[in-house]
Amino acid sequence: MKIGVCIKQVPDPEARLSVSADGRWIDEEEMAFGINEGDEYAVEEALAIAEQAGGEVVAVSLGPERAREALRKALAVGAGRAVHLADDAFQGGDCWATARALAEVARRESFDLILTGSQSADAGFGSTGTLLAALLGWPHAWLVVGLEVEEGGGSARVTREMEAGKNELLRVKLPAVIEVQAGINKPRYASLKGIMQAKRKELAELTPADLGLDPARVGAAGARLEILSVSVPKKGEGAQIFEGDAQTAARQLVEKLRTEARVL
Amino acid sequence: MAGKIWILLQQRGGELHPMSKEAIAAGTRLADLVGGEAEALLLCAEPGSAAEEAAGYGVSAVRIVRSAKLADYTPGAFAGAVAAAASAAAPGWIVLPHSYQSVDYMARLAHLVDAALVPEVVGFRRDGDDVVWTRPVFTGKLQSEVRVRGDGPVVLSVQAGAFAAESGERSAPIDELEVDDAGIEPDREVLGVEEVAGEHVDLTQAPIIVAVGRGIGGAENMGEAEALARALGAEIGASRPVIDSGWLPRDRQIGSSGQTVAPKLYIAAGISGAIQHLVGMKGSRCIVAINKDASAPIFAVAQYGIVGDLHEVLPALTEAAQEAKA
Ligand SMILES: Cc1cc2nc3c(=O)[nH]c(=O)nc-3n(C[C@H](O)[C@H](O)[C@H](O)COP(=O)(O)OP(=O)(O)OC[C@H]3O[C@@H](n4cnc5c(N)ncnc54)[C@H](O)[C@@H]3O)c2cc1C
Ligand SMILES: Nc1ncnc2c1ncn2[C@@H]1O[C@H](COP(=O)(O)O)[C@@H](O)[C@H]1O
C-alpha cells in the first residue's frame, strides 16, 4: 500500500504572534515552527498502517524553504521519502490552490490512501483534504478518530467525530482521503538512528512545471481568496486583570469572586 | 451584485440544528447587504419539523429537497443534491453552519459548483462591489479579512456564536424543489453511531470547574490543578490537547467535541481560548482566565484574569481559597 501523508509546517502553538509589516500575515522572523498538530497524528497513522499492511509512506508538504524541517522530521520518524513543493509560485494560496498542487502530486504518485490533518493551525480552512479528495474523484472523511484498513485494502472502517461526544461509524472505499483528528493515536518520537537515516532519504523539490501545472493556477495567483488584512480580534469589554506577584493577585481574585461575582 | 442566497439547513433528530438558525441570521443579513433573496434549503428524506421551524426565522422561502438517498448523511449525496438544485437556480452564495457535518461536505460542494470557499465566517461587510469576509486564523488568536477574486459563486460557513438567531414575524412559504436524483450519490456506508467510550463524568452538573490546557505542561503537573479543585469543591476539566496527550481521560474534555458546561465559576488555566473550546464553556456565569500570554483570546470571554505562570498562580490561588474558607 502506498500512502501519501500531507503535512503543513505551522507556528509552534506557544509562539507569540505579531502582525507583519504589510498587515497581511504574521511576522515570521525568529518564530519557532513545527508540524501542524493534526498532521503529526496523520504521519503516525500512515506509519502504523504501512507497518501492518506493508507499503511505503511518502510525506508531502507545500511550504517555503523552512518546511523542509517538517519533512525531515517525518522522515526521521519513518516516512520513506518526501516531496516538497517549495517553489515561490506555490506559496500564499488558499485551500483551492493548495489542494490543486497536492492533487497533482497524488496523481503522479498513484497513492492508494492519503492521510491529512483535519485543520491547519494557521490558515485553518478545514477543507484542503476534502478538496483534494474532490479533485481526485475520491471519497473522504473529515475528523477521523479511528481508522482500520479492511482485508484486501479495498475499503476502510472509519470512526468520525460528531458533535457532543458521539462518533459515526463508516465504511469508505479506497483510495480515499482520510482527514485525521488529533488524538487518534500516540505519535512516536524520532530515534537518534531515525534522525541519522533521515538525512540520507530522498527529499524531492518539485516546481509547478515538474507537475505540469500552470503557475497561475497555484499559490497566491491561483487562489480564490485574497487576504486583505490580519489583525488582533477586538476584545469586547475584556477581563479585569489582577497584577502583582502571584500571591497578591490570587488574594485579590478570591476576594472579587466572593464579594463581587458572589460565586464562592 | 444582487443574487440568490441559499442557506443549507442541518437537522438533528428531525429538529433544526441550533447552528442552522445562526446560519439563517447570517444569510438574511447577507441578503440585505447585497440586495438578494435568502432562501433556506432542507436536504432530507423526511422534513420533520425543521422546515416549519426554519420558516419562522426571516427567510423568503424554505425549499425542501427530498430523496430517499438523503436519509443518512453522506457528503457525496448532500453535496450532489445541492449541486443538482443549484444548476438551475444558480445561487450566488451558499451559506452553511460551521458544524462537523456541514464542513465535512462543503468543500465537495464548492468543487461541484466551482465556487470559492470561505470557511468559518464571523463577520462581513461591503466594500464597493466586494463583500469582505472576516474569519479567524491562527486558531482564533488573530483574524483575517478576505475578499473573493473573480465572479463565481461563494460557499461559506458561519462560525457558532457570531450571528444571533432572530425569529421573524411572518412564516415563509415552504415548497419542494425537484432535483434529478441521479446526481445524489452516497459515497460512504453508514454503519452506526456510538457514544464516545468512557463518558461517565458528568461535568454539566458541577457548580465549579477548574479547567487546564496545554499550558499545564504535562500529567506530572496535574496535582496543581487538583489541589485548587479540592479547595474549591470543583471538578477538573480540560481542553482537547490535554486529553489527546493522555494527561487526562476523554470524559474531562470540554468543547465542541466534548461536554458543554455552564457552571457558576469556570477557571481556565493555560487554555488559549480557541472557538472549539469556547463553545463548550462560554455560557459559564463567571469565567476566570490564567495565562502567561496577555493577548490570549480566553481573556476576551473572561470576567477576571491573572497574567502569569500558572505553576505559581494555581498554588497561590489554592492557598488564598483555603485562607478565605478558614
Ligand atoms: C474539529 C475540531 C474540534 C475540536 N474540539 C475541541 C474541543 O472539544 N475542546 C477543545 O478544548 N479543543 C478542541 N479543538 C482544538 C482547539 O482548536 C484548540 O487547538 C485547543 O482548544 C487548544 O487547547 P489549549 O488552549 O489547551 O492549547 P493552546 O492553544 O496551545 O494554548 C495553551 C495556552 O497556555 C498558555 N500557557 C503556556 N504555558 C503557560 C504557563 N506556564 N502559565 C500560564 N499559561 C501558559 C499559553 O499562553 C497558551 O495560551 C478542536 C479542534 C478542531 C479542529
Ligand atoms: N501547505 C500544505 N502542505 C501540505 N499539506 C497541507 C497544506 N495545507 C493544508 N494541508 C493539509 O490539509 C489539512 C487541513 O488544512 P486546512 O484546510 O488548511 O485547515 C492539514 O492538516 C494538512 O494535512
Side-chain angles (χ1 to χ4, degrees), chain A residues 6-8 36 38-39 60-63 95 98 102 115-120 122-129:
Chain A
C6 298
I7 62 175
K8 187 176 196 190
N36 184 48
D39 307 359
V60 185
S61 186
L62 182 156
C95 50
T98 300
L102 295 174
L115 297 177
T116 71
S118 283
Q119 185 152 359
S120 61
D122 52 2
F125 294 117
S127 289
T128 304

Side-chain angles (χ1 to χ4, degrees), chain A residues 27 43 46 56 103 115 139 154 187 214 261:
Chain A
D27 186 359
V43 171
E56 187 192 12
L115 297 177
D214 178 353

Side-chain angles (χ1 to χ4, degrees), chain A residues 65-257:
Chain A
E65 217 36 63
R66 57 170 165 74
R68 239 181 130 78
E69 270 308 302
L71 288 169
R72 281 277 173 232
K73 195 171 167 216
L75 294 172
V77 291
R81 64 196 167 78
V83 175
H84 187 188
L85 308 183
D87 197 278
D88 281 348
F90 286 122
Q91 315 307 321
D94 63 353
C95 50
W96 263 107
T98 300
R100 231 179 250 131
L102 295 174
E104 222 39 65
V105 175
R107 284 197 187 98
R108 271 148 215 262
E109 294 279 356
S110 310
F111 292 131
D112 301 302
L113 170 66
I114 296 177
L115 297 177
T116 71
S118 283
Q119 185 152 359
S120 61
D122 52 2
F125 294 117
S127 289
T128 304
T130 307
L131 262 180
L132 171 60
L135 287 165
L136 294 170
W138 295 3
H140 79 277
W142 185 62
L143 300 184
V144 170
V145 293
L147 174 63
E148 197 187 314
V149 174
E150 292 185 303
E151 201 58 39
S155 60
R157 276 180 71 100
V158 169
T159 308
R160 186 180 169 260
E161 206 165 77
M162 295 168 54
E163 274 133 15
K166 284 199 175 61
N167 289 332
E168 197 182 16
L169 306 174
L170 310 165
R171 176 171 290 120
V172 177
K173 284 216 175 71
L174 300 184
V177 177
I178 301 296
E179 303 161 69
V180 308
Q181 172 67 307
I184 183 173
N185 53 37
K186 203 165 180 309
R188 68 194 69 182
Y189 292 101
S191 64
L192 195 59
K193 189 167 153 233
I195 295 169
M196 297 311 289
Q197 281 174 344
K199 294 186 178 146
R200 292 191 301 274
K201 287 182 179 170
E202 181 187 321
L203 197 164
E205 279 197 16
L206 301 182
T207 64
D210 293 333
L211 293 171
L213 277 166
D214 178 353
R217 300 274 291 157
V218 296
R224 292 180 166 194
L225 295 187
E226 181 191 355
I227 299 178
L228 302 172
S229 71
V230 163
S231 60
V232 180
K234 285 223 177 55
K235 283 265 156 70
E237 288 204 2
Q240 189 177 332
I241 304 285
F242 301 104
E243 316 266 353
D245 63 290
Q247 274 70 25
T248 315
R251 275 202 204 98
Q252 286 175 338
L253 171 61
V254 167
E255 180 61 21
K256 286 283 182 181
L257 292 176

